[in-house]
Amino acid sequence: MRPLRFRWLRYLWAAPNTLIGITIGLLLGGRIEWVAGVAEIHGRWIAKGLRSMPVPAAAMTLGHVVLGCTLADLERTRRHERVHVRQYERWGPFFLAAYLTASLALKLMGRDAYRGNPFEIEAYAVDDPSA
Ligand SMILES: [Zn+2]
């Protein structure tokens, strides 16, 4: 168990991404629920946005915010998305650049830019330990 007194530092480190997530969630009129220290936001316009991304998604994490198409999607993807929350806590403001750089490098090598991304491999390992 990590000491609680340093927990705020992880929130501060991830705050720029959390602010992006909160802003998108509110602009798209999503409903917010706090689940174990993470803001989960879902709604019709969020669903439209997530489903029209290059890799259509049921949910997406930005710092301590998880945007989801529906409440059911948020529940189903919770373990996976929490791995991404931990990644934001480690990488802070550099997470998105690191994630996108890994995807771009994989694409340039002709490999799967999504499932081959080390950040996704770590997250999918929680969903399916045999993956
Ligand atoms: Zn993921």
Side-chain angles (χ1 to χ4, degrees):
M1 187 90 179
R2 289 177 284 204
L4 279 177
R5 67 181 183 275
F6 295 124
R7 191 171 178 159
W8 67 272
L9 273 175
R10 286 191 285 274
Y11 278 85
L12 185 65
W13 185 231
N17 297 304
T18 302
L19 284 175
I20 293 169
I22 290 277
T23 302
I24 292 171
L26 293 179
L27 284 176
L28 295 179
R31 289 192 52 169
I32 302 179
E33 289 186 41
W34 286 95
V35 180
V38 174
E40 294 187 345
I41 312 178
H42 71 281
R44 188 159 60 96
W45 291 104
I46 291 170
K48 277 186 184 278
L50 288 172
R51 289 175 182 144
S52 62
M53 293 200 314
V55 178
M60 177 186 179
T61 300
L62 288 160
H64 288 91
V65 174
V66 180
L67 302 171
C69 294
T70 65
L71 202 54
D73 287 325
L74 287 168
E75 287 168 5
R76 183 174 51 77
T77 62
R78 191 165 287 142
R79 284 163 48 91
H80 178 102
E81 298 304 326
R82 287 305 186 274
V83 173
H84 290 314
V85 170
R86 300 287 92 81
Q87 292 168 344
Y88 276 101
E89 289 179 344
R90 264 184 261 135
W91 287 77
F94 304 105
F95 176 81
L96 286 176
Y99 184 101
L100 293 174
T101 300
S103 283
L104 180 64
L106 288 161
K107 191 175 176 73
L108 291 174
M109 290 188 286
R111 297 186 30 210
D112 189 327
Y114 177 66
R115 289 301 291 251
N117 189 311
F119 295 105
E120 292 302 337
I121 290 171
E122 184 185 13
Y124 277 105
V126 170
D127 292 339
D128 177 9
S130 67

